[in-house]
Amino acid sequence: MKRREKCGNSLLELSYKVIMNKKVALINPPYREHLSVTYPVYPLGLGYLQASCTDNNIVCDLFDFSQTDLSDIELIKKYQLYEYKIIGITSFSIDFIRTAQFIDKMKTENNYIIVGGHHATQTAGILLKEFSTIDYIIKGYGEKVFPSTLNTK
């Protein structure tokens, strides 16, 4: 499958057969090195994304790992992240290398990793070139693009 970068109202080209009846996870990644300078805040962007998916009859599980003490492997096992066919994860420049390491551990041959957020929007081409475990990038607001991507033929 060819990796693609899209923005605005464009659709990512994922096959209908791959997406139907598959589990979808939306993840706010751990901020381990920055816990002393961050405080718990609901991941509003992912909340909007989840609501948009719900409006389009797509069930998404939202995980906020921003304040966790668990290791990547402990999170993956505890929340059974290997069972998700589609994993959408937000990205921030301040901690992207750690997020990329988390993505590397979640990636399997049976799932798709879709990255969005501030960092992905600004550096989409670089991310797709340098991080082979990222399958797709959504630039800008994903509330329309993400659910339509999951429903496309």
Side-chain angles (χ1 to χ4, degrees):
M1 179 175 294
K2 190 173 180 183
R3 295 170 3 141
R4 302 197 183 258
E5 170 189 335
K6 298 290 180 183
C7 61
N9 290 324
S10 300
L11 300 178
L12 301 177
E13 296 175 8
L14 295 179
S15 111
Y16 182 76
K17 288 184 349 186
V18 169
I19 302 304
M20 280 308 294
N21 300 318
K22 303 299 178 186
K23 293 177 76 171
V24 178
L26 299 173
I27 297 176
N28 193 27
Y31 305 149
R32 292 186 186 95
E33 284 79 21
H34 305 286
L35 283 178
S36 63
V37 295
T38 61
Y39 54 94
V41 176
Y42 182 76
L44 192 57
L46 289 178
Y48 284 134
L49 209 60
Q50 184 182 36
S52 182
C53 285
T54 300
D55 289 347
N56 287 279
N57 299 313
I58 300 166
V59 177
C60 295
D61 295 325
L62 193 152
F63 299 98
D64 182 2
F65 297 142
S66 63
Q67 302 294 309
T68 188
D69 291 328
L70 298 176
S71 72
D72 292 347
I73 298 301
E74 289 170 326
L75 289 170
I76 290 166
K77 288 180 181 178
K78 181 176 182 176
Y79 297 99
Q80 302 173 351
L81 298 177
Y82 288 133
E83 293 183 13
Y84 287 87
K85 184 68 176 179
I86 306 295
I87 298 174
I89 188 164
T90 193
S91 61
F92 300 95
S93 299
I94 191 169
D95 206 26
F96 185 75
I97 296 303
R98 285 282 307 123
T99 299
Q101 291 167 350
F102 186 42
I103 289 169
D104 288 347
K105 292 173 186 159
M106 286 189 295
K107 181 66 179 158
T108 70
E109 62 185 33
N110 298 317
N111 66 17
Y112 294 95
I113 304 291
I114 302 173
V115 180
H118 304 291
H119 189 72
T121 295
Q122 298 300 316
T123 61
I126 294 167
L127 295 183
L128 288 174
K129 182 178 177 183
E130 294 184 7
F131 297 93
S132 63
T133 52
I134 297 173
D135 296 301
Y136 298 93
I137 298 285
I138 293 183
K139 295 169 68 173
Y141 296 102
E143 291 87 338
K144 291 183 180 178
V145 175
F146 189 75
S148 11
T149 297
L150 302 180
N151 282 326
T152 138
K153 293 183 180 181

